Amino acid sequence: MKINRRNFTLTGGALTLGFLLGDGVISLTPAEAKAQNLPFHRLTKNQASLIDILGDAIVPGAKAAGLSHYIDHQLSVRHQDNLLILRYLRVNPPFDGFYSASLQAFEEAIQQRYHKEPSDLTEVEISDFITIMMQKNPEFWSLPGHEAPPAPFFYFVLRSDAIDVTYSTMEAFDSLDIPYMAHLEPAHTWEVSPK
Amino acid sequence: MNYAEKTDVVIVGSGAAGSLMAAKLAESGKKVIILEAGPERTLKDLTSSQIHARRLKWSGDLVMENGAQPIGNGFNSGYGTGGAALHHYAVWPRLHAEDFKIRSLHGRHLDWPISYDDLRPYYDRIQQEVGISGDSQAEVWRPDGADYPLPPVPAFQQSEIIAEGFKKLGKSLSPLPLALNSREYMDRPGCLWDGWCDAGCPTKALANPLAVYLPKAKKHDCQIIHDATVTRVLTEQNGKKTIGVTYRIKDGIEITLMAKMVILAAFAIQTPRLLLASAEGGLANRSGLLGSYIMSHAAALVYGLFEEETEPYMGPTGGQMLNQDSYDHKDKRPQGFGSYQWMIAQAVKPNDLLGFGGSNPGIFGAKLTEFMQRAAQHFGGMTACVEDLPQRENRVSLSSEKDKFGLPLASVTHTSHKDSLALWQGAKQEGMEIFKAAKAEQVWTGPLGPMHLMGGTIMGQDAETSVTNSYGQCHDIDNLFIAGPGLFPTSGGVNPTFTVHALTLRSSEYILKNWSSLT
Ligand SMILES: Cc1cc2nc3c(=O)[nH]c(=O)nc-3n(C[C@H](O)[C@H](O)[C@H](O)COP(=O)(O)OP(=O)(O)OC[C@H]3O[C@@H](n4cnc5c(N)ncnc54)[C@H](O)[C@@H]3O)c2cc1C
Ligand code: SF4
C-alpha cells in the first residue's frame, strides 16, 4: 500500500515548554527560548555553551533548536515529568550530576589535548575528538577527583537529546518529508510547570 | 494509621492483568478497589510524541539494576493508569505447546504446571473479547486455536520490501497478530496506521486497559485510587490468610485497606518486592524462590537502508509481519537453545531509542544530517524477540537502600544464560542475511535490548518449587493471588501480554467459582 504523503496536512504545532520568566511561566519552544536568550535555571552559562558546542557538532541544528534550554528545562522538573532519554538508561535521578561531571570532563580533556577552549576548536578538531569519545574515554577524560561517566555513554546520551530536540517537532518531520499524523498534537499538552 | 472501608477485593496495579481481573470480578458483583501507584491518566494524556511517551514510564521508587544484562526497568515498566500496557505495542502471539514443557521435553529449566491445551480456550475467548487482527492460516507455526476475529493489518512498503529477503531464503511469513483493530470492532475504531502506539493510542483502536477492561470494570462496583503505592500485604497473625494491604498516598500518609482477597498485579519487579518487604524472609516464600527467575527477552535489532522508498513511518509500532521459523524444536537452533520470532517492519519515528536516528549511533555531524534525510524514506527494521532461559540467580531482592519512608528498594540481578546469548547472536546473523537478501544497501544491528519482564513469582506444581499454583494463588495463603507475567516459569520467544490475559481470565473464573471457600 502506497500513501501520498501530502494527504496529511501538517499543522504548525511545535515542541513548547513552560519556561519560568520572572514570576510567570511562558510557553515557548526550546528554539524560541534560545533565540530570546532566556536565563538558565540549572545549568551554568558555561555548561550550556559546552552542551551547544558538542551537541551541535554531533547533531547539526541542535544548538538553534534549543538543546541547552531543553536540557536545562528538563533538569528543573519533577522526575515523573522529566522527559530526558536518561530515564531509559539506568541513571538514577537527579540527572544534574550526570551532565555537570560529563561536561567538566569534556572541557578538561579538550583543554589538555588542544591547549584551547572548546569554543575555539576547529571543525576537524572537534570531529576528531568526537570520533575518539564515541569509542573510549579520551585522554584526560576522567581525572582523579573529577570522575565522569564514560565518554561513549555521554556521547550516546547527548546525541539522543540532540536528536530529540532537533528532529521531534512537526516542522522537523516536515523537513524530512514525513507526515506527522498526530492523534493529539504535542503543543497542547507539553507544558510542565517548573517547580 | 488511617483505615479505609472494607472491600471484597483489592487489586494492586491497574495494568494489563489488574484491569482485566477487576473487570471480571466487578462484573460478577464483587466490590473491587484498584490501588495504583502512579497518577491518573486518561486517553487525552496520550500525546503523539516519542518524548511525551516517556512520562508513561516507571517513576516510582528507584530500582537498582545489576548483572551483565540488566533488565531495563526504566524502559520496560509503566506507571499510572494502565501501567506499561497503556503504551504497549499490542503484538499478541500465543505461546507454543513446547514452551510449557521444556523440562519434560528437554530435561532442562522448568515446566509450567499447565499445558497449552489448558490455556487454549482462554486465548480463544480473550481474542474474541478484545479483538485481534491477523491471519491464522498464514501463521503456519501457530498452535491450534480459533481464527482471529479481525482481518490482518495491511502490508505497507517497508514490510513488502523486507518480505523479499524472507522469500528469497525460503522462509515463511504471515501478518503480525496484533491486538488492534484493522477495522471497527466492539465500538472501537479502526487503526489509522500512523505509528504512534508507543505514545499510547488515544483512539481506542489498540487494546490498552483504558480502551477495554477499565471501562468495563468501572461500569460496576470498581474504584481506582491513584497515587496509592501499596507498601505491605497484611496477614492474620498465623500468616495463613491475608486481611488487606497498607498503602501510601502522597506525603507519605499510610492507609490500611481491609479486604477479603488481595490480588497483586504490580508487574514482575514490584510484586516480589512487595511480598519480600511484607514479612521477615518474605510473604508466601516457603520455596525460597520469591523474586527468582526474572527474565527479559533479548531484542535482536536489525536495520537497513533500501534503494526503494519504504514509508517507514506507516503502520503500527509493533510491526506488520511475523516469522516464527526458529520457534519450535528449541534444541534444533544452529547455536544456543530456545525460540525466537521476527517482528518485521515496525513503524518508526526519527527520534527516541527505537527511532531511526538512534539506530546507528556511530554517525554524527554532516553525515548524520544526510543519514536522517535518507532514512526518513528508505529505512527498514525488524526485531527478534529471543527467549531468555530462566535462572534461579536472576532475581529481585531487597536492597540495603531504602526509599524515603524506609521501605527497602528492589534490587534486580540479571545475566543472560549463555545459550540465550548464543541464540541472540544467531538471530542477529540470520537477520543480516535476510536484509542482504532483501537487497538492503546497508545493514547494521543494535545492541542487546532487554524487552518485556517476566518471572519473579513463578507458578508451579508445588510449594517447594514455586510461589503460586497455576491460578496465581500463593501456595501458602489461599486468598492471596498474583497476576501478570511474573507468573511465567519460562519466557518463550513471544510477547507476553496475550498470555497474561489468558492466564488472568482463567484465574478470575477460578476465584469466582471458589469464592466462598477462598475468603
Ligand atoms: C514500550 C513497550 C512495548 C510493549 N509492547 C508489547 C507488545 O507489543 N506485546 C506484548 O505482549 N507486550 C508488550 N509489552 C509488555 C507489556 O506492557 C507487559 O507485559 C504488560 O503491561 C504487563 O502487565 P502487568 O499488568 O503485569 O503490568 P503493567 O501493565 O505494567 O501494570 C502494573 C501496574 O502496577 C503499578 N504498581 C507497581 N507497584 C505498585 C505498588 N506497590 N502499588 C500500587 N501499584 C503498583 C504500576 O504503576 C503499573 O501501573 C510492552 C511494554 C513496553 C514498555
Ligand atoms: S497506529 Fe493505530 S493503534 Fe497505533 S496509535 Fe495509531 S491508530 Fe492507534
Side-chain angles (χ1 to χ4, degrees):
Chain A
M1 181 186 290
K2 179 97 177 141
I3 59 136
N4 175 359
R5 283 195 288 281
R6 294 298 169 195
N7 286 343
F8 296 92
T9 13
L10 287 170
T11 54
L15 186 79
T16 57
L17 307 172
F19 284 93
L20 255 190
L21 193 64
D23 292 337
V25 179
I26 52 166
S27 293
L28 291 177
T29 65
E32 286 163 345
K34 172 87 193 157
Q36 294 185 22
N37 209 7
L38 285 199
F40 295 100
H41 293 279
R42 298 302 270 260
L43 299 172
T44 64
K45 265 197 164 170
N46 184 47
Q47 286 170 336
S49 132
L50 292 171
I51 284 178
D52 281 345
I53 291 165
L54 186 55
D56 208 57
I58 297 172
V59 181
K63 179 178 171 184
L67 176 62
S68 51
H69 280 88
Y70 167 72
I71 292 177
D72 182 66
H73 178 270
Q74 295 301 329
L75 292 177
S76 63
V77 300
R78 293 179 307 170
H79 178 56
Q80 74 186 58
D81 294 325
N82 189 302
L83 302 172
L84 290 169
I85 195 110
L86 265 185
R87 281 185 77 135
Y88 290 169
L89 301 173
R90 292 190 299 281
V91 174
N92 292 334
F95 299 146
D96 306 52
F98 172 86
Y99 286 96
S100 59
S102 306
L103 292 168
Q104 185 175 355
F106 167 61
E107 188 173 33
E108 284 174 357
I110 293 289
Q111 286 164 343
Q112 297 279 349
R113 184 184 177 94
Y114 297 106
H115 304 291
K116 47 171 134 165
E117 293 305 317
S119 52
D120 299 328
L121 291 177
T122 65
E123 254 183 57
V124 173
E125 283 167 342
I126 194 156
S127 170
D128 286 349
F129 188 83
I130 292 170
T131 306
I132 297 168
M133 84 177 277
M134 75 166 78
Q135 299 169 65
K136 59 178 191 198
N137 280 356
E139 224 185 332
F140 312 112
W141 177 264
S142 201
L143 301 172
H146 290 179
E147 282 77 14
F153 183 55
F154 178 57
Y155 163 80
F156 180 80
V157 172
L158 194 65
R159 182 181 185 276
S160 303
D161 291 339
I163 289 180
D164 272 346
V165 80
T166 313
Y167 286 104
S168 70
T169 61
M170 291 187 177
E171 289 82 355
F173 274 53
D174 199 19
S175 75
L176 293 173
D177 209 6
I178 299 176
Y180 198 92
M181 302 185 279
H183 293 294
L184 297 171
E185 291 186 8
H188 304 308
T189 47
W190 179 270
E191 279 189 31
V192 181
S193 299
K195 287 252 165 75
Chain B
M1 183 73 69
N2 299 289
Y3 286 89
E5 207 183 315
K6 186 164 179 167
T7 184
D8 288 334
V9 185
V10 60
I11 298 178
V12 183
S14 67
S19 61
L20 168 56
M21 187 66 96
K24 296 298 167 193
L25 300 186
E27 277 168 356
S28 298
K30 301 292 172 231
K31 179 178 165 65
V32 177
I33 295 183
I34 304 178
L35 297 174
E36 168 53 53
E40 177 168 15
R41 302 188 198 282
T42 67
L43 292 168
K44 290 198 184 103
D45 296 320
L46 303 178
T47 308
S48 304
S49 153
Q50 290 300 126
I51 303 181
H52 279 273
R54 293 173 200 159
R55 234 186 252 164
L56 308 177
K57 302 288 188 185
W58 179 254
S59 42
D61 285 339
L62 284 182
V63 172
M64 325 301 282
E65 294 191 33
N66 312 295
Q69 283 79 33
I71 45 110
N73 184 68
F75 182 81
N76 285 310
S77 291
Y79 195 60
T81 323
L86 186 57
H87 74 144
H88 87 302
Y89 305 166
V91 181
W92 277 31
R94 297 169 185 228
L95 285 171
H96 291 207
E98 188 186 7
D99 289 322
F100 294 82
K101 300 283 166 217
I102 302 188
R103 182 151 197 92
S104 313
L105 293 169
H106 300 289
R108 52 190 295 182
H109 308 292
L110 303 169
D111 277 352
W112 290 52
I114 45 173
S115 67
Y116 175 76
D117 290 337
D118 294 317
L119 213 51
R120 178 198 153 161
Y122 299 94
Y123 278 125
D124 287 350
R125 285 168 53 199
I126 287 286
Q127 81 177 21
Q128 199 60 32
E129 203 164 283
V130 167
I132 297 187
S133 303
D135 180 345
S136 52
Q137 302 306 314
E139 276 180 52
V140 291
W141 333 265
R142 187 177 185 252
D144 288 344
D147 288 341
Y148 296 117
L150 285 161
V153 299
F156 294 91
Q157 295 284 101
Q158 187 190 167
S159 70
E160 283 178 3
I161 288 165
I162 299 173
E164 285 307 309
F166 280 89
K167 284 181 203 150
K168 257 192 215 140
L169 298 178
K171 296 177 191 292
S172 319
L173 276 175
S174 76
L176 191 65
L178 288 158
L180 55 79
N181 292 349
S182 50
R183 60 168 159 69
E184 196 185 318
Y185 187 72
M186 300 278 183
D187 291 332
R188 292 169 26 228
C191 174
L192 299 172
W193 317 120
D194 46 66
W196 282 118
C197 318
D198 182 64
C201 178
T203 71
K204 298 194 190 174
L206 188 148
N208 67 44
L210 278 177
V212 184
Y213 287 113
L214 288 176
K216 285 185 201 281
K218 282 184 178 165
K219 276 197 190 141
H220 301 274
D221 193 356
C222 172
Q223 185 197 352
I224 305 190
I225 303 177
H226 290 94
D227 300 304
T229 300
V230 175
T231 51
R232 199 175 162 90
V233 177
L234 305 169
T235 55
E236 284 176 346
Q237 266 193 339
N238 63 12
K240 294 225 150 77
K241 215 164 182 193
T242 165
I243 50 171
V245 298
T246 300
Y247 66 97
R248 202 167 58 209
I249 54 173
K250 281 181 178 163
D251 306 324
I253 296 166
E254 289 217 314
I255 298 176
T256 293
L257 177 60
M258 309 299 281
K260 293 183 189 156
M261 178 172 290
V262 173
I263 297 172
L264 304 179
F267 205 24
I269 309 302
Q270 297 301 323
T271 292
R273 175 195 180 206
L274 187 54
L275 286 173
L276 286 165
S278 290
E280 190 64 42
L283 197 62
N285 194 20
R286 181 143 48 104
S287 62
L289 292 175
L290 185 56
S292 278
Y293 298 111
I294 278 289
M295 295 167 279
S296 180
H297 289 129
L301 304 158
V302 178
Y303 307 113
L305 286 178
F306 296 84
E307 196 189 338
E308 305 98 311
E309 291 204 354
T310 55
E311 301 178 317
Y313 41 81
M314 288 306 297
T317 307
Q320 298 162 38
M321 291 212 179
L322 175 73
N323 169 280
Q324 291 188 338
D325 285 353
S326 298
Y327 206 98
D328 287 341
H329 307 294
K330 292 177 193 285
D331 54 341
K332 296 282 189 296
R333 303 285 90 80
Q335 60 188 70
F337 176 92
S339 305
Y340 65 86
Q341 66 172 10
W342 287 108
M343 297 171 284
I344 301 151
Q346 286 94 13
V348 279
K349 305 292 176 191
N351 64 314
D352 202 40
L353 273 193
L354 301 177
F356 56 79
S359 71
N360 205 343
I363 303 180
F364 68 93
K367 285 206 174 111
L368 177 64
T369 310
E370 222 174 274
F371 170 82
M372 295 299 282
Q373 289 290 342
R374 180 126 184 101
Q377 310 303 334
H378 298 267
F379 182 82
M382 63 180 189
T383 304
C385 177
V386 179
E387 177 156 14
D388 187 26
L389 295 167
Q391 303 184 87
R392 188 173 176 160
E393 53 282 15
N394 285 341
R395 58 192 278 257
V396 179
S397 57
L398 293 181
S399 162
S400 55
E401 292 191 43
K402 300 193 164 140
D403 71 8
K404 63 180 176 189
F405 303 104
L407 191 71
L409 300 178
S411 169
V412 191
T413 303
H414 180 268
T415 297
S416 304
H417 192 286
K418 66 176 177 22
D419 286 342
S420 302
L421 286 175
L423 193 62
W424 172 77
Q425 288 288 1
K428 273 200 316 181
Q429 199 52 46
E430 183 194 47
M432 296 210 295
E433 281 157 21
I434 292 166
F435 266 39
K436 282 181 196 148
K439 296 222 183 83
E441 291 170 345
Q442 284 175 44
V443 185
W444 67 100
T445 58
L448 188 151
M451 176 170 75
H452 313 132
L453 303 180
M454 295 148 291
T457 48
I458 62 164
M459 57 162 71
Q461 290 291 1
D462 54 63
E464 273 59 55
T465 57
S466 56
V467 178
T468 79
N469 66 16
S470 71
Y471 299 102
Q473 181 182 27
C474 291
H475 290 300
D476 299 341
I477 304 176
D478 280 355
N479 62 343
L480 177 60
F481 283 76
I482 294 171
L487 296 172
F488 293 13
T490 60
S491 74
V494 293
N495 321 54
T497 308
F498 191 12
T499 304
V500 167
H501 278 71
L503 285 174
T504 308
L505 176 61
R506 184 171 176 270
S507 300
S508 69
E509 293 187 350
Y510 171 82
I511 289 171
L512 289 169
K513 197 165 144 211
N514 297 289
W515 179 259
S516 22
S517 64
L518 293 175
T519 52

